[in-house]
Amino acid sequence: MVASRDNRESAEFLAELLDLEIAGEWGPFVAVRLANGVTLDFATAPEEHIATQHYAFLVSDDVFDAAYARIRERGLEHWADPYRQQPGTINRNDGGRGVYFLDPSGHALELITVPYGGWPEQPEQPKEPERSERPED
């Protein structure tokens, strides 16, 4: 559950930014289904019960480009770093791109295109044996 000042406002903010849809509403929750099938369930909570959280999303370059364009179009404050020392820009950590910004409830959101530490080395795949070009006897 993501404690929010306004469950609908926070859910719509994330859904619109990442071009997702509201997955449904039940009880106090407004759910946003992420591309990997995970849902974030937003619930309205009293201000004193909202502890600032950090949510990082590994996204494709295309999703990053579209979301970053929306961040700039909306004039949202954003930073290249979690300490907010590099405003109005992105980072290029681990060979990818990343950006930090706040949602309407003050949660720190992060978009990255490469996981922390970079993509793991893929083990070399065994090569298929070369086939002889000569016809079978």
Side-chain angles (χ1 to χ4, degrees), residues 7-8 14 25 30 32 44 69 73 84 87 97 124 130:
N7 59 356
R8 166 118 342 243
L14 182 64
E25 293 184 52
V30 177
V32 175
T44 300
E73 287 166 4
R84 303 182 199 164
R97 295 177 293 159
E124 190 171 319
E130 291 186 30

Side-chain angles (χ1 to χ4, degrees), residues 79-127:
W79 304 268
D81 65 304
Y83 306 107
R84 303 182 199 164
Q85 300 298 308
Q86 301 171 53
T89 189
I90 65 171
N91 68 58
R92 301 221 178 253
N93 297 342
D94 299 309
R97 295 177 293 159
V99 65
Y100 296 82
F101 54 99
L102 303 177
D103 87 339
S105 296
H107 295 299
L109 304 183
E110 175 185 9
L111 302 179
I112 57 175
T113 60
V114 172
Y116 296 126
W119 292 107
E121 292 277 332
Q122 296 296 319
E124 190 171 319
Q125 298 295 317
K127 294 181 180 177

Side-chain angles (χ1 to χ4, degrees), residues 21-120:
E21 294 185 14
I22 301 296
E25 293 184 52
W26 46 94
F29 304 109
V30 177
V32 175
R33 185 175 316 283
L34 304 177
N36 64 358
V38 170
T39 61
L40 290 180
D41 298 336
F42 293 86
T44 300
E47 186 79 30
E48 62 272 12
H49 292 134
I50 299 174
T52 301
Q53 300 292 313
H54 173 251
Y55 297 94
F57 302 92
L58 178 62
V59 299
S60 69
D61 285 315
D62 290 342
V63 170
F64 186 92
D65 290 341
Y68 190 56
R70 290 181 190 108
I71 288 169
R72 289 191 324 256
E73 287 166 4
R74 295 177 184 185
L76 296 176
E77 284 189 276
H78 59 282
W79 304 268
D81 65 304
Y83 306 107
R84 303 182 199 164
Q85 300 298 308
Q86 301 171 53
T89 189
I90 65 171
N91 68 58
R92 301 221 178 253
N93 297 342
D94 299 309
R97 295 177 293 159
V99 65
Y100 296 82
F101 54 99
L102 303 177
D103 87 339
S105 296
H107 295 299
L109 304 183
E110 175 185 9
L111 302 179
I112 57 175
T113 60
V114 172
Y116 296 126
W119 292 107

Side-chain angles (χ1 to χ4, degrees), residues 127-136:
K127 294 181 180 177
E128 289 197 29
E130 291 186 30
R131 296 183 185 181
S132 171
E133 294 295 323
R134 54 179 201 163
E136 296 291 323

